[in-house]
Amino acid sequence: MSDRLCYKGYSGSVDNCTEDHVLHGRVIGISDLVTFEASSVSELKSAFRKSVEDYIKTCRELKKEPDRPFNN
């Protein structure tokens, strides 16, 4: 697996906490904080996509333009 996830133009970091056996990450390239975590690679990919969708939806509800990712 790459150390980055991509979805709808957004990139996500991938980090592994060996102590807690958890994969986690955050959407990178935007000023807002959007995080996700899971216990497997496939769950992490899904959690990332869900976090991006939730971010876009929340911005829409707040009548705020979602941050556009800058080139990483």
Side-chain angles (χ1 to χ4, degrees):
M1 181 171 91
S2 168
D3 61 348
R4 290 235 174 125
L5 301 171
C6 296
Y7 180 69
K8 290 193 172 184
Y10 291 90
S11 295
S13 65
V14 177
D15 295 302
N16 179 21
C17 181
T18 56
E19 200 172 285
D20 296 331
H21 305 288
V22 174
L23 297 167
H24 60 93
R26 65 180 180 85
V27 175
I28 54 180
I30 63 174
S31 60
D32 293 317
L33 178 62
V34 181
T35 63
F36 49 93
E37 69 177 40
S39 57
S40 72
V41 172
S42 61
E43 289 174 359
L44 187 72
K45 289 177 180 179
S46 179
F48 168 65
R49 290 188 298 268
K50 183 177 182 325
S51 291
V52 169
E53 292 292 344
D54 287 347
Y55 171 66
I56 293 168
K57 179 183 174 190
T58 299
C59 286
R60 192 176 309 128
E61 290 170 355
L62 295 172
K63 297 182 183 355
K64 173 193 182 298
E65 188 68 28
D67 280 354
R68 295 215 182 262
F70 56 82
N71 292 335
N72 303 320

